[in-house]
Amino acid sequence: SQIMALCISNALKLSVRPSLLALCQQQSARCLSNKQDELILDFNRCPGVCVALLNRPQAKNALSKSLIGALESAFAAVRSQRALRALVFGSAVPGVFCAGADLKERATMPESDVGPFVAKARDLLQELAELPLPTVAAIDGAALGGGLELALACDLRVASDDARLGLVETRLAIIPGAGGTQRLPSVLGPSLAKELIYTARVLTGAEAQTLGLVSRSVPQQQGANGFAALASAIELASEIAKNGPVALSMAKKAIDNGMSAGSMRAALDVEANCYARVIPTKDRLEGLRAFKEKRTPVYTGE
């Protein structure tokens, strides 16, 4: 895991250190041949940010039973790290974020097992959506079906301009089952979401930004070695992580819960309750002191 984290970290620096290109390509090939770690957690990339990398190169990061189990463990680990301020979800496999469900595994699954498996995936992505810290999906390459549903469960999405995004389940005579029919309309509105789901259309990263499906679309420059979106997402997460952690958590809660409150009055009550949570914190006082003293605040999450 440490080697893989180093490989990806080096790959992201290639634009400023081109002499590392050959070495990193060799290291990446060696790392990606390791089938042991289907999900890699890097807590040491930058202060307050965890980088989670899907790593099933032979299956294009398809969501299998074992990968679902790894994600469950990862979310538990993230929740246990109080020092975390943000989570980045990306891929250790160049050219793909997540190709969706593992259809080879699904083909061998008894019909009676399909519903419970999809329900488990649905619950898992809801757990991701409810993590009490900002989450950023870094989409380098394909994010199709369940892969896009995974990205939709994150707060923010960054894509390379040549990424491919789509809920393509209707091509297989099924529907998105891990939250896609609900989260895509909440991002794009029901009419456009219906068009994309009905047609199973696949968008480029640039098209996705135009529609508002991703907040950033970045050029997949040769020097980035296929990880341009990951680099941009880590930069964004680092910017987020400088702010007060309790405030970040409460801002997320206020927005998410307020959106489903039913009325503006109810939504404002949600905001008021979340604001009340930040008033007694030490971080709020630290922010005021730092402003007065014209220095960078040091937040502790208390």
Side-chain angles (χ1 to χ4, degrees):
S1 298
Q2 293 177 343
I3 295 175
M4 186 67 224
L6 176 62
C7 293
I8 301 301
S9 178
N10 284 341
L12 293 176
K13 297 175 184 176
L14 290 177
S15 58
V16 294
R17 300 178 64 187
S19 62
L20 291 175
L21 178 58
L23 175 61
C24 286
Q25 286 176 334
Q26 294 172 1
Q27 288 179 326
S28 294
R30 183 165 62 252
C31 292
L32 293 178
S33 67
N34 180 7
K35 301 178 183 179
Q36 184 175 357
D37 297 325
E38 294 189 344
L39 181 68
I40 299 158
L41 293 183
D42 182 358
F43 292 97
N44 301 312
R45 181 69 59 84
C46 51
V49 177
C50 173
V51 179
L53 299 174
L54 301 171
N55 184 35
R56 293 191 71 210
Q58 292 79 9
K60 297 183 179 180
N61 291 339
L63 297 170
S64 62
K65 290 181 180 179
S66 59
L67 184 53
I68 291 293
L71 288 168
E72 285 184 304
S73 299
F75 296 160
V78 167
R79 284 184 177 274
S80 70
Q81 299 291 322
R82 290 195 59 195
L84 284 184
R85 306 291 189 261
L87 170 67
V88 172
F89 235 110
S91 169
V93 183
V96 63
F97 174 72
C98 175
D102 189 330
L103 297 181
K104 291 183 179 180
E105 182 181 79
R106 184 71 60 85
T108 65
M109 193 178 294
E111 184 175 328
S112 59
D113 291 350
V114 174
F117 175 78
V118 174
K120 186 173 184 179
R122 185 184 305 120
D123 291 342
L124 183 68
L125 295 192
Q126 182 61 23
E127 184 178 346
L128 169 60
E130 292 175 351
L131 286 176
L133 76 171
T135 55
V136 186
I139 306 170
D140 287 297
L144 303 174
L148 181 52
E149 289 181 300
L150 173 61
L152 284 167
C154 294
D155 297 312
L156 304 171
R157 285 159 294 283
V158 177
S160 60
D161 56 359
D162 62 349
R164 297 186 302 120
L165 303 88
L167 294 179
V168 297
E169 286 85 349
T170 53
R171 291 183 186 175
L172 300 173
I174 57 175
I175 69 170
T181 63
Q182 307 306 306
R183 292 195 176 95
L184 190 64
S186 72
V187 173
L188 300 180
S191 181
L192 183 53
K194 286 177 179 179
E195 179 178 336
L196 293 176
I197 291 173
Y198 293 170
T199 60
R201 187 175 302 149
V202 176
L203 305 171
T204 66
E207 291 170 336
Q209 183 186 30
T210 299
L211 296 179
L213 180 54
V214 303
S215 58
R216 295 185 182 186
S217 175
V218 295
Q220 191 61 275
Q221 299 173 350
Q222 184 176 1
N225 204 28
F227 298 108
L230 182 57
S232 181
I234 292 173
E235 180 182 15
L236 175 58
S238 298
E239 183 180 356
I240 292 170
K242 297 175 184 178
N243 299 314
V246 178
L248 292 172
S249 180
M250 289 300 102
K252 176 173 179 172
K253 185 174 183 179
I255 295 169
D256 288 350
N257 292 1
M259 289 288 289
S260 59
S263 69
M264 179 57 72
R265 176 54 60 190
L268 292 175
D269 288 341
V270 171
E271 181 184 80
N273 291 333
C274 291
Y275 198 99
R277 295 280 298 276
V278 303
I279 292 175
T281 64
K282 295 179 181 178
D283 281 349
R284 184 182 71 87
L285 299 178
E286 165 63 10
L288 292 173
R289 283 193 298 268
F291 178 79
K292 182 179 180 180
E293 296 167 9
K294 298 182 180 180
R295 60 173 174 81
T296 301
V298 179
Y299 295 126
T300 63
E302 299 178 339

